[in-house]
Amino acid sequence: MLLASLMAATQAYPLIVAKVWEPRTQTFYNNNVDYAAVLAQQPDAYASQASALFHYESDGRIRQYPGPAFQPGAEHRTLTSEVFAATGLETQPWSGLINYQRHGALPYVPIAQGLAWLEVGDEAALKKQFEGRMVLVGTTFDDEDLLEVPVPLAAWMQNRTAIPGVLLHAQVLRNMIHDELLQPAPFPVSLALALL
């Protein structure tokens, strides 16, 4: 059933699956070979599987875009870069600090709600929520797959800075869409400011 759904989905729209890093073995979890084969039949303009790995700072928080410097084998393709590439927008070698000050907290649509709309044939509700948008699917539990960020980002987890990983990917995508990743000032500028 899942294989058939994947095949249908890849015919209708771009589908990128996260490669999840296993720290214990220092490798990515392997996706089912059949699923990987179906995903790989998509266009070469984007990778159908890409790293969801983030880099933690010394205080355990995530501030950097997880580019090649933070990926195994200096891989330049990340989940967010490939979702962005799949939209057909112009890509670039992404780098910098994640801008957390833009756009505010993120809400989510429970998958049960989406399935309920689908079950009753409420096409208007589905289109209103999802048409023409990048859609990320991930867990939003209060105690699973949580990542520490500098500011609260989950609209339903008031004042908590430990957020579901899917929201961090969404924030990075918002930065990419609006070209808002923060770049460090050139060294001469930093030195001049320090002297001032």
Side-chain angles (χ1 to χ4, degrees):
M1 179 81 160
L2 180 56
L3 188 59
S5 297
L6 279 175
M7 291 176 75
T10 58
Q11 298 302 312
Y13 46 79
L15 183 63
I16 295 96
V17 174
K19 291 191 328 189
V20 179
W21 183 251
E22 170 49 63
R24 188 177 49 78
T25 60
Q26 293 292 292
T27 59
F28 287 105
Y29 284 114
N30 286 326
N31 286 325
N32 178 294
V33 174
D34 293 334
Y35 302 160
V38 169
L39 291 166
Q41 293 176 8
Q42 297 181 95
D44 291 335
Y46 54 90
S48 59
Q49 298 180 71
S51 171
L53 181 64
F54 279 101
H55 168 73
Y56 296 88
E57 302 290 336
S58 59
D59 64 356
R61 297 197 172 178
I62 297 168
R63 293 182 180 86
Q64 296 271 344
Y65 171 78
F70 308 116
Q71 297 297 325
E75 175 61 49
H76 70 279
R77 293 181 175 211
T78 66
L79 181 62
T80 50
S81 74
E82 299 315 290
V83 169
F84 188 87
T87 66
L89 297 171
E90 188 176 340
T91 61
Q92 57 179 294
W94 302 101
S95 66
L97 295 169
I98 300 165
N99 187 343
Y100 289 105
Q101 298 304 314
R102 302 286 291 152
H103 312 291
L106 286 152
Y108 78 103
V109 177
I111 199 161
Q113 178 62 71
L115 291 173
W117 288 329
L118 191 62
E119 192 173 300
V120 299
D122 192 344
E123 202 169 306
L126 288 166
K127 282 186 174 183
K128 182 179 179 186
Q129 281 297 330
F130 304 118
E131 188 172 43
R133 296 183 178 173
M134 297 176 201
V135 177
L136 302 180
V137 178
T139 62
T140 54
F141 299 124
D142 289 354
D143 59 355
E144 187 176 317
D145 185 32
L146 298 180
L147 304 175
E148 276 289 342
V149 297
V151 299
L153 267 185
W156 68 98
M157 297 168 73
Q158 197 169 23
N159 299 322
R160 285 184 55 186
T161 56
I163 63 163
V166 67
L167 292 189
L168 186 47
H169 292 291
Q171 183 66 20
V172 172
L173 279 167
R174 293 199 293 189
N175 281 192
M176 290 174 160
I177 291 165
H178 300 285
D179 197 19
E180 293 172 338
L181 286 168
L182 303 172
Q183 302 304 319
F187 178 72
V189 173
S190 298
L191 183 60
L193 289 172
L195 291 172
L196 281 173

